Amino acid sequence: GSIRGVKARGNFTFDLEWKNGTLSEATVYAEDNGTLQLKLNDRTGTPAQGDFIIENSVLKADMTAGQTLKLTF
């Protein structure tokens, strides 16, 4: 299934897709400049491109307005 247009703190918008009840893909759109901080828990999603770091299961990526970040799980 999927859901599109989920708003998150920091003025980010998410599109989410899942298969068999498990998240398979997340696309993040930055509405403003800011740092995305995404708790991964036991997931191993990583962006297909861009600069990011993962510390203590938290993905951090500096994003600029209009930038898109795609994560696959």
Side-chain angles (χ1 to χ4, degrees):
S2 66
I3 187 168
R4 306 214 180 284
V6 177
K7 297 292 185 181
R9 182 179 297 150
N11 211 11
F12 296 102
T13 302
F14 284 78
D15 291 345
L16 305 171
E17 294 183 21
W18 59 90
K19 293 178 185 170
N20 300 319
T22 302
L23 184 64
S24 59
E25 186 173 289
T27 304
V28 185
Y29 305 93
E31 305 297 327
D32 293 321
N33 296 340
T35 301
L36 171 70
Q37 296 188 55
L38 184 62
K39 180 87 169 140
L40 296 174
N41 293 331
D42 60 348
R43 294 175 185 84
T44 56
T46 55
Q49 60 198 19
D51 294 329
F52 65 93
I53 60 170
I54 298 175
E55 288 181 346
N56 300 320
S57 298
V58 176
L59 181 143
K60 296 178 183 179
D62 291 327
M63 297 182 69
T64 56
Q67 184 178 358
T68 300
L69 187 67
K70 187 173 190 175
L71 298 106
T72 55
F73 298 92

